Amino acid sequence: MTRTVYVNGDYLPETEAKVSIFDRGFLMADGVYEVTSVLGGKLIDFDGHARRLERSLNELDMPHPPELGEMLEIHRKLVTENGIEDGLVYLQITRGSDGDRDFAYPARDTRPTVVLFTQSKPGLADSPAAKTGMRVITIDDVRWGRRDIKTVQLLYPSMGKMMAKAAGADDAWMVQDGFVTEGTSNNAYIVKGNKIITRALSNDILHGITRAAVLRFAREAQMEVEERNFTVEEAKDADEAFVTSASAFVMPVVQIDDAVLGDGVPGRVAPRLREIYLDESLKAAI
Ligand code: PDD
């Protein structure tokens, strides 16, 4: 089926959508993005993603996109037009193009490129991996120093996924100075006793929208949360581990490199958090 996509104010069949070869997103990775999940035809945590998008744009001194209300309307229209029951809405905004290649930014009134498309993922919340858990490898984190900005510079995360695949694993956790930063496309957590441990927010990691919600729900459920750095050794010795993201929600991790956690199956905390997250997010979906 040909999807309807959104490009700079127009809704078009995907085969007719065009972006300039001089677009700075294409030439310089000068763009930011958001991925919002859709469950039962409704958007999960749209406001959180919209707020982070605004922050990313501000941090890069990029012109602002359509108003929030209009953004919501575009998301909803694409979900409806493409009959998305479960899936994702991908949004990307780049600094646009003034028709040539130059390291310097184009004039501030250059029109940004705004692109949105949907991905249908039937049964997104019923992923079999949630029952078996994922295996991750650890790799050096060699990304740039502003990982808090959700830019489209995703080459190293892509390489990390390929390294994981080559090692027969599902994903990679990135490591800086012996401490885990985050997964290639998710935030990383370990569970020790009853304590949930995850790296604190800084420029070293993406400020996950799912992370914020999951930590809030965990605290509301009287679970203990510690936001601090943890080492690879500590992770390998943990009772449980998991990741969070808009597309994976809460996903248990059962193996880190050669270390099998607990019994090698998801423990108590990650599946419980997944259940709470999905219940609460569905209630608040718009
Ligand atoms: N990735 N850390 C990184 C490096 C990410 O790329 C992501 C999201 C997250 C989790 O953020 P959130 O909970 O807001 O989705 C953490 C998205 C899903 C992606 O690139 O497809």
Side-chain angles (χ1 to χ4, degrees), residues 97-117:
S97 153
D98 58 3
D100 206 349
R101 178 175 184 267
D102 194 342
F103 279 83
Y105 293 174
R108 233 196 112 70
D109 59 359
T110 301
R111 189 181 71 167
T113 302
V114 182
V115 167
L116 285 92
F117 59 82

Side-chain angles (χ1 to χ4, degrees), residues 33-35 49 52 88 143 147 150 154 157 174 182-187 205-211 244-248:
Y33 76 108
E34 282 296 331
V35 176
H49 289 282
R52 185 173 60 193
L88 305 169
R143 297 173 299 162
R147 305 159 192 159
K150 199 164 172 58
L154 296 176
M174 294 178 281
E182 59 187 332
T184 57
S185 63
N186 43 58
N187 290 115
I205 61 169
L206 185 74
H207 302 187
I209 300 307
T210 320
R211 178 189 183 280
T244 64
S245 77
S247 49

Side-chain angles (χ1 to χ4, degrees), residues 69-271:
E70 199 184 333
M71 274 297 176
L72 178 58
E73 204 180 296
I74 301 168
H75 277 71
R76 282 184 162 153
K77 186 162 172 172
L78 287 180
V79 167
T80 309
E81 292 250 325
N82 294 321
I84 305 293
E85 193 53 23
D86 295 337
L88 305 169
V89 180
Y90 177 89
L91 168 156
Q92 179 170 327
I93 299 179
T94 79
R95 208 181 301 271
S97 153
D98 58 3
D100 206 349
R101 178 175 184 267
D102 194 342
F103 279 83
Y105 293 174
R108 233 196 112 70
D109 59 359
T110 301
R111 189 181 71 167
T113 302
V114 182
V115 167
L116 285 92
F117 59 82
T118 55
Q119 292 181 296
S120 176
K121 308 244 177 217
L124 182 65
D126 305 317
S127 160
K131 303 221 164 46
T132 55
M134 292 176 17
R135 287 177 299 164
V136 301
I137 58 166
T138 55
I139 60 173
D140 276 348
D141 196 338
V142 302
R143 297 173 299 162
W144 78 325
R146 290 304 307 274
R147 305 159 192 159
D148 56 309
I149 309 173
K150 199 164 172 58
T151 73
V152 296
Q153 301 176 62
L154 296 176
L155 181 54
Y156 189 65
S158 293
M159 289 168 73
K161 297 247 190 227
M162 296 312 290
M163 288 186 246
K165 205 171 167 180
D170 304 298
D171 202 355
W173 277 12
M174 294 178 281
V175 179
Q176 176 174 293
D177 302 327
F179 296 100
V180 174
T181 51
E182 59 187 332
T184 57
S185 63
N186 43 58
N187 290 115
Y189 308 72
I190 57 172
V191 180
K192 245 344 214 190
N194 285 325
K195 213 180 283 172
I196 298 163
I197 302 162
T198 192
R199 197 176 176 105
L201 296 182
S202 72
N203 292 352
D204 293 338
I205 61 169
L206 185 74
H207 302 187
I209 300 307
T210 320
R211 178 189 183 280
V214 165
L215 293 188
R216 190 173 70 245
F217 297 143
R219 286 178 172 125
E220 282 169 12
Q222 315 300 327
M223 296 179 187
E224 205 181 328
V225 175
E226 211 172 282
E227 295 182 65
R228 63 159 173 87
N229 287 0
F230 60 88
T231 63
V232 175
E233 287 66 39
E234 201 179 357
K236 288 181 177 175
D237 194 40
D239 300 324
E240 284 185 50
F242 62 94
V243 296
T244 64
S245 77
S247 49
F249 311 116
V250 178
M251 190 62 72
V253 169
V254 294
Q255 189 173 334
I256 302 169
D257 293 327
D258 291 330
V260 174
L261 306 189
D263 301 327
V265 290
R268 273 183 320 109
V269 175

Side-chain angles (χ1 to χ4, degrees), residues 45-61:
D45 218 336
F46 174 80
D47 284 351
H49 289 282
R51 271 199 305 275
R52 185 173 60 193
L53 173 67
E54 194 174 336
R55 179 178 182 279
S56 294
L57 292 166
N58 281 337
E59 291 299 310
L60 294 175
D61 196 23

